[in-house]
C-alpha cells in the first residue's frame, strides 16, 4: 500500500503521518507538503529516518507537479489534510483559501481519476455546518445537517467537500469525507487558541479572548481524530461522510481558565478583545454514525487530554519557541537542502 498524505507537516497531518508510519510498517507513506508558514518538518523528527517514510515538498494546486508525482509514485491512497486552516487569516485574505482548499482538492481529484486510486479521503471540518445557538444544547451536527458556512475558511472547505462527493457520484471515484470538531494536542501551531494561551501564559503575557469567551467548541484530542481517519480509510463506505467528535464541549473562557489553573497563572492575564466578525457560537458533533458503523470511540476525555497536552508544551518549549522566533522555517534547508 502506497499512500500520499498531503499537509503532513501541519498539526493534524504530522500526527497522522506518525500514526500511519508507526502502525503500518509495510505501508509506504509519502508526506506531500508545501511548507507554508504552518508546515514544520520538526513535527516529523520521530519518523524522518524510517524506511517507509518519505517527504516531498510541493503544492497540491500545482497541476503539472501533481500529475508528474502521481505518474511517478502511482499511489493507492490519498489522504488530503493540506489546507489553509486559520479562520482569521481567511477573513484577511480569502483568495489563497480558494486556491489551496478548493483548487488544490480538485487537482488531487483529477489526478486520482487519471491514475486510478483505491481511496481518496478528504479531511474536512464541522465548520461546514455553520453554528448552533447557545440556548439549544439539545442540537448537534449530524451528517445530514445542511451546509451553512460562516467564514471564507469554512466556505472553501464546504466547497471542496461538494467536489469530492460530486466526483464520487459523477465519476465513481472511491472517496470518503470526515468532518471533525476542533482538535488539540501535540504540534498545534501557536496561533491557535490552546497553544497560544499556553505559550503566552508561560511568558506572563496578556491572553486575548474574543468577545466574552462564550463561544463553544467540541474539543477532540488529535490522536482520536487520527484513529478515526484510520478506520474510515480502511473500513468506511465509499461516498460517505463521517462526523468525528467526542462530546467535549467547552466555552473558550473555560478552556483558557483550565490552562491558567494548570499553569498556576492568574486569571487577571485574560483580556477580552473585539469579537471575530461572523464568529460561530457553538459547534457540537453527533458521532453516532462513526461509532455504530466503524466502532470508533474517543480514548481521551478533555480533562485528561488537556492536562497531557499542557505537559507536552512544557516539555517541548524549544519546539514552539522555534516557531515563535521563525527559526523553524530554516529546518527544511538544514535537513534537506544538501540532499536535493
Ligand atoms: N485544526 C483543527 O482543529 C481541525 C479540525 C477539523 C478539520 N481540520 C482540517 O484538518 C486539516 C489539517 O488541519 P491543521 O490544523 O493540521 O492545519 P495546519 O494549518 O496545521 O496544516 C496545514 C498543512 O498544509 C500545508 N499546506 C498548505 N497549503 C498547501 C498546498 N497548497 N500544498 C501542499 N501543502 C499545503 C501546510 O504547509 C501545513 O503543513 C485541514 O484540512 C483542516 O481544514 C482541522
Amino acid at each position: 500500500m502506497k499512500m500520499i498524505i498531503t499537509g503532513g507537516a501541519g498539526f493534524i497531518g504530522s500526527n497522522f503521518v506518525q500514526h500511519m508510519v508507526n502502525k503500518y510498517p509495510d505501508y509506504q507513506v509519502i508526506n506531500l507538503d508545501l511548507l507554508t508558514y504552518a508546515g514544520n518538518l520538526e513535527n516529523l523528527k520521530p519518523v524522518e529516518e524510517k524506511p517507509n517514510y518519505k517527504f516531498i515538498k510541493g503544492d497540491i494546486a500545482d497541476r503539472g507537479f501533481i500529475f508528474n508525482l502521481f505518474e511517478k509514485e502511482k499511489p493507492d491512497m490519498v489522504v488530503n489534510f493540506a489546507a489553509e486552516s486559520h479562520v482569521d487569516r481567511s477573513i484577511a485574505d480569502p483568495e489563497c483559501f480558494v486556491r489551496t482548499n478548493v483548487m488544490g482538492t480538485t487537482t488531487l481529484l483529477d489526478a486520482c481519476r487519471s491514475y486510478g486510486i483505491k481511496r481518496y479521503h478528504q479531511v474536512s471540518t464541522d465548520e461546514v455546518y455553520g453554528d448552533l445557538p447557545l440556548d439549544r444544547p439539545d442540537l448537534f451536527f449530524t451528517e445530514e445537517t445542511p451546509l451553512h458556512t460562516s467564514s471564507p475558511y469554512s466556505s472553501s472547505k464546504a466547497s471542496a467537500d461538494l467536489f469530492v462527493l460530486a466526483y464520487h457520484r459523477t465519476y465513481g471515484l472511491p472517496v470518503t469525507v470526515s468532518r471533525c470538531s476542533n482538535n488539540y494536542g501535540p504540534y498545534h501551531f501557536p496561533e491557535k487558541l490552546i497553544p497560544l494561551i499556553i505559550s503566552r501564559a508561560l511568558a506572563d503575557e496578556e491572553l486575548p479572548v474574543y468577545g466574552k469567551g462564550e463561544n463553544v467548541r467540541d474539543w477532540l484530542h488529535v490522536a482520536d481524530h487520527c484513529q478515526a481517519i484510520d478506520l474510515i480509510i480502511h473500513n468506511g463506505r465509499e461516498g460517505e461522510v463521517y462526523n468525528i467528535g467526542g462530546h467535549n464541549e467547552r466555552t473558550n473562557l473555560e478552556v483558557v481558565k483550565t490552562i491558567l489553573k494548570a499553569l498556576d497563572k492568574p486569571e487577571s492575564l485574560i483580556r477580552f478583545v473585539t469579537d471575530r466578525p461572523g464568529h460561530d457560537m457553538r459547534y457540537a458533533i453527533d458521532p453516532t454514525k462513526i461509532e455504530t458503523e466503524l466502532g470508533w470511540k474517543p480514548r481521551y476525555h478533555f480533562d485528561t487530554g488537556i492536562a497531557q497536552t499542557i505537559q507536552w508544551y512544557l516539555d517541548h518549549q524549544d519546539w514552539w519557541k522555534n516557531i515563535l522566533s521563525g527559526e523553524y522555517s530554516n529546518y527544511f534547508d538544514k535537513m534537506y537542502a544538501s540532499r536535493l
Side-chain angles (χ1 to χ4, degrees), residues 130-193:
D131 64 353
L132 298 164
L134 290 180
D135 60 358
R136 290 292 308 273
D138 54 315
L139 295 180
F140 296 91
F141 298 134
T142 73
E143 290 78 2
E144 276 70 49
T145 301
L147 303 188
H148 190 261
T149 57
S150 312
S151 70
Y153 164 68
S154 55
S155 302
S156 68
K157 294 295 290 184
S159 174
D161 285 11
L162 293 175
F163 275 102
V164 173
L165 295 170
Y167 272 56
H168 174 70
R169 168 93 187 235
T170 306
Y171 307 115
L173 204 70
V175 306
T176 39
V177 176
S178 55
R179 295 182 180 144
C180 189
S181 57
N182 281 55
N183 283 212
Y184 67 97
Y187 305 112
H188 206 174
F189 198 80
E191 71 183 350
K192 302 285 175 74
L193 180 72

Side-chain angles (χ1 to χ4, degrees), residues 45-81:
K45 264 186 185 164
V47 294
E48 67 189 2
E49 302 295 342
K50 299 252 174 158
N52 62 333
Y53 170 74
K54 179 160 87 174
F55 174 73
I56 295 178
K57 184 175 176 184
D59 182 352
I60 60 164
D62 179 339
R63 196 160 274 265
F65 164 79
I66 289 294
F67 274 67
N68 281 338
L69 181 71
F70 274 63
E71 170 76 38
K72 185 166 165 244
E73 299 289 354
K74 305 223 166 34
D76 301 297
M77 222 185 249
V78 172
V79 182
N80 182 25
F81 288 90

Side-chain angles (χ1 to χ4, degrees), residues 276-294:
R276 166 191 279 168
H279 204 177
D280 283 337
M281 287 316 296
R282 172 173 169 255
Y283 303 140
I285 286 270
D286 175 353
T288 305
K289 181 174 174 180
I290 189 167
E291 286 181 352
T292 51
E293 249 186 51
L294 303 180

Side-chain angles (χ1 to χ4, degrees), residues 161-339:
D161 285 11
L162 293 175
F163 275 102
V164 173
L165 295 170
Y167 272 56
H168 174 70
R169 168 93 187 235
T170 306
Y171 307 115
L173 204 70
V175 306
T176 39
V177 176
S178 55
R179 295 182 180 144
C180 189
S181 57
N182 281 55
N183 283 212
Y184 67 97
Y187 305 112
H188 206 174
F189 198 80
E191 71 183 350
K192 302 285 175 74
L193 180 72
I194 288 177
L196 178 92
I197 298 299
I198 297 172
S199 59
R200 290 185 69 89
L202 284 172
D204 295 309
E205 289 170 343
E206 287 187 346
L207 310 176
V209 175
Y210 280 135
K212 296 178 188 161
E214 288 172 330
N215 308 65
V216 172
R217 299 293 178 259
D218 186 356
W219 292 97
L220 188 77
H221 194 281
V222 64
D224 285 324
H225 188 185
C226 293
Q227 176 57 21
I229 294 174
D230 183 346
L231 283 171
I232 295 169
I233 60 178
H234 290 106
N235 305 327
R237 286 182 293 136
E238 290 175 12
E240 292 292 316
V241 173
Y242 293 89
N243 283 353
I244 311 171
H247 289 300
N248 279 296
E249 290 179 50
R250 297 285 185 285
T251 67
N252 287 346
L253 193 55
E254 282 170 333
V255 171
V256 173
K257 287 185 176 175
T258 303
I259 295 169
L260 287 174
K261 196 166 172 219
L263 295 175
D264 198 20
K265 297 287 181 182
E267 291 184 8
S268 57
L269 288 175
I270 296 171
R271 281 285 169 278
F272 293 104
V273 298
T274 311
D275 210 351
R276 166 191 279 168
H279 204 177
D280 283 337
M281 287 316 296
R282 172 173 169 255
Y283 303 140
I285 286 270
D286 175 353
T288 305
K289 181 174 174 180
I290 189 167
E291 286 181 352
T292 51
E293 249 186 51
L294 303 180
W296 176 83
K297 276 259 180 254
R299 278 184 299 142
Y300 288 87
H301 186 270
F302 185 75
D303 296 341
T304 45
I306 193 69
Q308 280 185 26
T309 300
I310 292 168
Q311 193 56 49
W312 189 90
Y313 283 89
L314 288 171
D315 294 341
H316 294 80
Q317 300 205 25
D318 284 353
W319 178 85
W320 53 265
K321 284 180 179 163
N322 264 350
I323 293 178
L324 295 178
S325 72
E327 180 59 25
Y328 78 105
S329 57
N330 299 327
Y331 189 78
F332 179 79
D333 292 337
K334 270 192 287 189
M335 283 303 296
Y336 289 88
S338 60
R339 300 188 197 183

